[in-house]
Amino acid sequence: MTALTLSTAAAAGLRADAIVIGVAKGAKGPVVAPGAEALDKAYDGRLAGVLETLGASGGEGEVTKLPAPAGFKAPLVVAVGLGAEPEKDAEYDAEALRKAAGVAARTLAGSKKAAFALPLTDAADAGAVAEGALLGAYSFDAYKDSGKDGRAKGNGKAPLAEIALLGGKPRDKAYRAAIERATAVTEELNRARDLINTPPNDLYPEAFAAVAQAAGKEHGIKVQVLDEKALTKGGYGGILGVGSGSAAGPRLVKLSYTHSKAKKHLAFVGKGITYDSGGISLKPAGHNETMKCDMSGAAAVFAAVVAAARLGLEVNVTGWLALAENMPSGSATRPGDVLRMYSGKTVEVLNTDAEGRLVLADALWAASEEKPDAIVDVATLTGAMVLALGNRTFGVMANDDAFRTAIVEAAEEVGEPSWPMPLPDHLRKGMDSPTADIANMGERMGGGLVAGLFLREFVGEGITWAHLDIAGPAFNESGPFGYTPKGGTGSAVRTLVRLAELTAEGDLG
Ligand code: BES
Ligand code: ZN
Ligand code: ZN
């Protein structure tokens, strides 16, 4: 894990492997961002020109390395692109800082210590740089064997070990709080990434539940686990139906974080399919290699509840993890089977690959029984949402327009692209079943919205609810960018944490 501290040290005297500075795209070429004044001076005020000579433009994601000038203890300068220079008197926005810090941290993998001299105007900026750096430094090498000869673990390099934020104000309460928040949120988000990246032969429902129990003990969160026996007794037909084909049985995990001064209660519900083969409606080859990521919603919910507890937010947050492995076998649910759900409704399963909505339906109903002020579910639910919004944007549906807008805005604030999606009533009739109350599949067109409409029927009367379909951004199959690594991304964690904060502050609902 990367350690990060606020530092008042002067850049020149700091013993580090590198100094990170920002370079922005100005009207007439690259401009050196505030924070690097001492360095620019050591270059006789010609640093921007030097960078231009080296081909730098200041564009987002760009990295330019140059030797540090005489008098600097660190040997290397890493200039990261911040994108367009802000208008006069405006500041660099938080997301530009996060991305640049993330790129720098990733570039410096294998190094011990770096000093970040990026533009910081206030505590929020320090928080943004810390967040980007700690997320960008992430790597997953638990399965890269060290070998018998004692070589360093992994083929890759160890994450950057230590970061000093220059220009930070360690005596300022707001700065310290921003760093504490960034540390808690990124540690839990990176833990969610670990869970997503862990292969499904090791992360099955029972194993995930055990991780939740351990975290609950550590952070004072009450954790209750319903195993197959308890699920059967309780009548959780959706979760049981999806899990019945697997040798690794399903679980429903409830995490309760409570604060004595809480005025509101939020419920987060996560889809936790530890592997989605499609079941009897088996996915074709090419569509199941990354399906260990199908528990990303549950991982996000888990991380957000633990982060809320670590931050001591004045709000009650209940997390529900609907965990099952979707496998074909002699005991698996067949297309044509009817399940009796926890809510009492019956569902005709027409396609066993539309399993997420089945486990979520039970968890949504269980969450509703507590009558929270709002429920937000998070799920890698449909390929249709990926077709609609691409790989970096999640869709937001809700039974309340103002709540949906608030979520899109909160997501934007934390740097998670999202987009509001409708729940058109006319799509409901496609799920009419001749046998049961509803089928688990409807029209193919607008498949993401159809799934949302299905879920809406399992939300208790009068409860504000939103659904985040993160099928696109949950798992990054291409190369890393900004502070986002390849593999599990931790999508929606920061949005959920922000929603909990806003609720605690009385600014939501
Ligand atoms: N887990 C998948 C959705 C998914 C697709 C997640 C791509 C991440 C990337 C989900 O369970 C699924 O298979 N949905 C089906 C539903 C259909 C059968 C109605 C889909 O989207 O094709
Ligand atoms: Zn599926
Ligand atoms: Zn799935």
Side-chain angles (χ1 to χ4, degrees), residues 271 273 276 283 291 294 326 353 355-356 380-381:
K271 170 178 173 179
I273 300 299
D276 183 10
K283 285 181 187 294
M291 277 304 140
D294 215 19
N326 189 21
D353 197 13
E355 83 298 336
T380 46
L381 205 60

Side-chain angles (χ1 to χ4, degrees), residues 181-205:
R181 180 190 184 277
T183 304
V185 172
T186 57
E187 278 179 10
E188 296 316 317
L189 193 152
N190 284 337
R191 217 190 299 272
R193 289 172 170 177
D194 281 347
L195 287 167
I196 298 163
N197 291 329
T198 300
N201 54 333
D202 281 344
L203 195 86
Y204 41 91

